Amino acid sequence: MLSYKFDWSVITSGQYHEWLISGLKVTIQLSISGILLSFLLGLIVAVMRMSHLKLFRWSACVFLEFTRNTPLLVQIFFWYFGSYKLLPTAVNEWLNNTGFEFAAALIALTIYTSAFIAEDIRSGVLSIPKEQMEAAQSSGFSYIRSMQYIILPQAVRITIPPLVNQFLNLAKNSSLAMTIGVMELTYQARQVESYTFKGFEAFTAATVVYLAISVIITFLVDQYNERVLQIHKGA
Amino acid sequence: MIQFTNVNKWFNTLHVLNNINLQVKQGEVIVVCGPSGSGKSTLIRTINQLEPINDGKLIVDGKDLSDKSTDINKLRAEIGFVFQQFNLYPHLSVISNITLAPIKLRGLSKKDAEEQAMQLLTRVGLAEKRDVYPSQLSGGQQQRVAITRGLAMKPRIMLFDEPTSALDPEMIGEVLAVMQDLAKSGMTMVVVTHEMGFAREVAHRVVFMDAGTVLEEAPPEEFFCNPQTDRAKQFLNQLLTPMHGATCN
């Protein structure tokens, strides 16, 4: 016989419920800011990677190789345990008092994800006919302005499906932030488990919530995608 | 307005422009024709530096294109370019296609730019299409929007690279009518085209190219009725509709 007694009330109400909710809030904060920042950084890196200027192209390549080819966990540890050693003591103290864990996790997630986003956007840009760039430049737009107004808006639309994958990865990868003490959803589920020994309930709750986050992100991007792309079908 | 002096261009070992000397004066309409691969598209694309030249001197609107201090983006804003494949921006509506450059590069307010765009759209007969997207237009309509997009920058020169070659026959007329109207308004135009009827009617001079060189350069009457080279005679004979010969004595 199964000796384990399920007790879902642990996670549906009371103190432990509060813990999980506060963890969810942190996960959402981390995911949304990570998605926005990594998209922005990804755009910049993609444009640099395609620039005519060797210096830009070269530094973008180095950035991409470093970030894509090292484990995210190592990067999180680097920013949390490593980076602050380069800063003055006063700044260090200030950081320690203002929740540096969250910032370090956000920086690591943003940088890591932006590398993948940059490559997705770059392949989107390469799929735009070169005549679009010619049309833009013959109107007098510089390379950067042509990218900004004509090429990237088209490329990003094409890139939306792979971008959704990167956004989902970021939301799921945010669970690694628990390793440096960010009190996000996985961290709190772990806490609930150690206080109550209700590991099944706690992690079932976490699983369901992650699933819900992913479904919502996919739904939102799909909606946006459909609204914007509908008009251009057959272009 | 445009001055080619001993201009040469190579694609690797292919000599696409061979010692070109050509002058286009303000208000002139020049038609460039010739067999495919003769370098006429390359020639017109050098004028706004979509193709840089390798050798010689090219002066456009008083600016030397080989001079490093020439602001090419500024110069391009003064030159309208119409492509064979229209190349409208598919993610923007007709009105936004036209107003994008005037707003971003000329600093026009959205209202002023749209007002001006509507005047031009009315002139080409497409005022009611302001809010549709390029994919919802026919080829002829797209090309008329593309011409409008060029004109919205109030250019000093308009370049046309085979503007009717991608169109169904019944749509060619509507585009040529717009171009004819433009020529009569005194615009400086360089047109690469196979439309000899157009050349005959509005061109001041016809330039015939073959294998990267300018073989003939003459007023349309002279070129069509009395071509000097065998290559030009052969080319004119191969055109299926000998409209150009209609009024030769």
Side-chain angles (χ1 to χ4, degrees):
Chain A
M1 274 303 284
L2 201 65
S3 62
Y4 188 78
K5 284 208 178 78
F6 291 102
D7 179 8
W8 295 99
S9 69
V10 171
I11 56 156
T12 53
S13 59
Q15 184 198 357
Y16 303 123
H17 173 75
E18 298 298 320
W19 286 5
L20 287 174
I21 293 293
S22 81
L24 171 62
K25 280 183 188 155
V26 175
T27 290
I28 289 176
Q29 280 169 4
L30 198 53
S31 300
I32 290 181
S33 31
I35 284 172
L36 294 176
L37 290 174
S38 63
F39 179 65
L40 214 71
L41 184 60
L43 268 179
I44 294 169
V45 174
V47 171
M48 284 175 64
R49 173 78 179 77
M50 291 177 291
S51 164
H52 304 297
L53 294 173
K54 251 194 195 137
L55 178 69
F56 281 177
R57 227 169 38 227
W58 191 80
S59 33
C61 278
V62 171
F63 173 84
L64 287 170
E65 293 310 322
F66 263 100
T67 39
R68 284 190 307 169
N69 297 319
T70 49
L72 174 56
L73 192 56
V74 173
Q75 292 187 29
I76 291 176
F77 285 167
F78 172 81
W79 290 107
Y80 186 60
F81 296 115
S83 68
Y84 73 92
K85 307 238 156 150
L86 303 174
L87 301 169
T89 327
V91 181
N92 265 323
E93 274 170 16
W94 178 76
L95 281 174
N96 283 333
N97 295 330
T98 47
F100 182 49
E101 300 84 16
F102 185 88
L106 181 58
I107 291 171
L109 279 167
T110 297
I111 288 180
Y112 180 78
T113 312
S114 73
F116 294 92
I117 288 178
E119 287 298 84
D120 285 343
I121 290 176
R122 189 168 73 98
S123 65
V125 167
L126 293 178
S127 73
I128 304 294
K130 73 174 194 334
E131 286 79 8
Q132 287 289 312
M133 180 56 97
E134 286 187 348
Q137 293 196 317
S138 70
S139 289
F141 286 110
S142 65
Y143 173 79
I144 290 288
R145 295 282 169 242
S146 304
M147 276 286 173
Q148 183 185 353
Y149 298 126
I150 289 116
I151 307 299
L152 286 177
Q154 295 181 56
V156 166
R157 271 156 220 195
I158 295 177
T159 314
I160 281 173
L163 281 186
V164 174
N165 278 333
Q166 305 306 348
F167 293 163
L168 295 183
N169 281 339
L170 187 143
K172 292 180 288 181
N173 285 338
S174 72
S175 60
L176 288 175
M178 75 167 286
T179 56
I180 54 170
V182 178
M183 292 155 86
E184 46 70 68
L185 184 58
T186 310
Y187 180 97
Q188 296 292 17
R190 183 89 177 79
Q191 287 286 95
V192 172
E193 191 272 338
S194 28
Y195 276 73
T196 63
F197 301 108
K198 294 293 174 193
F200 185 87
E201 289 86 341
F203 285 105
T204 301
T207 305
V208 170
V209 170
Y210 278 115
L211 180 65
I213 292 175
S214 295
V215 169
I216 290 169
I217 292 176
T218 310
F219 175 78
L220 288 179
V221 181
D222 270 1
Q223 282 296 316
Y224 173 77
N225 197 9
E226 218 160 88
R227 228 188 50 222
V228 179
L229 287 185
Q230 204 64 39
I231 315 162
H232 312 292
K233 280 208 173 129
Chain B
M1 206 67 174
I2 305 169
Q3 171 96 50
F4 288 82
T5 314
N6 301 325
V7 168
N8 282 285
K9 179 171 177 62
W10 287 267
F11 286 137
N12 295 321
T13 56
L14 187 68
H15 202 170
V16 274
L17 293 180
N18 188 349
N19 206 33
I20 302 285
N21 286 288
L22 188 67
Q23 193 181 5
V24 182
K25 292 200 265 303
Q26 183 155 9
E28 258 191 324
V29 178
I30 304 294
V31 163
V32 183
C33 63
S36 56
S38 58
K40 46 192 197 308
S41 278
T42 308
L43 177 84
I44 199 173
R45 287 162 63 90
T46 59
I47 298 173
N48 71 348
Q49 221 182 64
L50 280 181
E51 301 287 355
I53 62 170
N54 299 125
D55 186 29
K57 204 175 171 85
L58 177 49
I59 294 176
V60 179
D61 198 15
K63 309 281 189 318
D64 185 343
L65 289 193
S66 319
D67 190 341
K68 288 245 185 303
S69 69
T70 297
D71 183 346
I72 186 64
N73 294 323
K74 212 170 158 191
L75 182 62
R76 279 171 175 162
E78 305 295 333
I79 307 173
F81 198 101
V82 176
F83 297 86
Q84 183 177 350
Q85 298 291 345
F86 333 129
N87 298 346
L88 293 175
Y89 309 133
H91 64 300
L92 298 176
S93 65
V94 164
I95 191 84
S96 302
N97 260 279
I98 299 168
T99 56
L100 183 68
I103 291 173
K104 302 295 181 191
L105 295 174
R106 293 267 196 253
L108 258 63
S109 71
K110 191 165 182 261
K111 186 173 156 287
D112 289 348
E114 290 192 349
E115 218 165 85
Q116 180 206 315
M118 284 314 291
Q119 278 174 17
L120 291 166
L121 272 179
T122 310
R123 196 165 133 196
V124 301
L126 290 172
E128 80 282 11
K129 299 290 186 191
R130 59 167 286 162
D131 292 318
V132 309
Y133 284 81
S135 60
Q136 295 164 290
L137 297 173
S138 72
Q141 290 170 332
Q142 288 192 52
Q143 194 61 299
R144 282 186 279 159
V145 172
I147 294 172
T148 309
R149 177 174 69 180
L151 291 177
M153 289 295 276
K154 296 201 165 48
R156 294 167 55 74
I157 302 170
M158 282 291 283
L159 306 174
F160 295 83
D161 188 6
E162 304 207 28
T164 57
S165 300
L167 297 176
D168 290 340
E170 69 261 39
M171 289 170 186
I172 292 176
E174 65 192 53
V175 172
L176 289 181
V178 170
M179 290 168 61
Q180 230 152 21
D181 182 45
L182 193 59
K184 279 180 196 139
S185 74
M187 177 66 77
T188 309
M189 292 164 67
V190 179
V191 186
V192 173
T193 185
H194 296 296
E195 294 298 325
M196 292 304 143
F198 174 81
R200 168 140 223 153
E201 211 159 310
V202 301
H204 296 103
R205 270 182 298 143
V206 176
V207 171
F208 178 74
M209 288 184 73
D210 185 43
T213 51
V214 172
L215 280 189
E216 297 203 21
E217 188 190 334
E221 294 300 313
E222 209 176 304
F223 174 71
F224 290 121
C225 296
N226 189 19
Q228 300 298 305
T229 58
D230 288 342
R231 191 68 191 85
K233 281 177 199 159
Q234 195 190 346
F235 176 77
L236 288 171
N237 282 333
Q238 276 169 356
L239 293 176
L240 287 174
T241 47
M243 271 169 89
H244 51 277
T247 57
C248 287
N249 297 315

